[in-house]
Amino acid sequence: MILTYLVMIFAENFVLAIIIVILFGLGNAIGSVSPPLITSAIYSADDFPKTYGYVQSGVQLGMTVGSLVAASIADSTGTYTFSWVFLAISAALVAVSWVSAYRISQK
């Protein structure tokens, strides 16, 4: 998803639009599969059901708030460029958080 948002900043032709579609499809698929996989890698089978409920709630909240923030930024600036930068940074922070949580759980 990070790459999708960064490419969106420079999307001015059909070829980049096709690249965005491919990246978005891959990123969206990975984004829907990653939370349960990461949660199961961090927590035991006994703790998974309760923990995954919290994780999925956070994912849904992030998607809801992210959409509203992106639209608000675009409305106030007149362009989506700042929205894409904000979302790319947010996606990078999520990735760093997941990797950090996994590494901490393995210690």
Side-chain angles (χ1 to χ4, degrees):
M1 290 308 296
I2 297 167
L3 287 174
T4 302
Y5 297 131
L6 295 176
V7 173
M8 283 183 183
I9 294 170
F10 305 106
E12 295 179 3
N13 62 47
F14 185 72
V15 173
L16 285 178
I18 297 298
I19 292 171
I20 289 168
V21 168
I22 293 168
L23 290 174
F24 183 81
L26 292 171
N28 195 27
I30 291 169
S32 62
V33 174
S34 295
L37 292 176
I38 293 170
T39 304
S40 68
I42 294 173
Y43 293 94
S44 68
D46 293 336
D47 294 332
F48 177 81
K50 181 179 179 182
T51 305
Y52 182 65
Y54 292 124
V55 169
Q56 189 60 23
S57 296
V59 168
Q60 294 296 324
L61 180 63
M63 288 191 297
T64 301
V65 171
S67 299
L68 295 173
V69 168
S72 297
I73 292 171
D75 286 344
S76 65
T77 62
T79 180
Y80 274 97
T81 301
F82 298 109
S83 297
W84 302 144
V85 171
F86 170 77
L87 291 171
I89 291 169
S90 298
L93 290 174
V94 168
V96 167
S97 297
W98 281 357
V99 170
S100 297
Y102 177 75
R103 286 186 178 168
I104 290 169
S105 74
Q106 299 303 306
K107 290 182 181 184

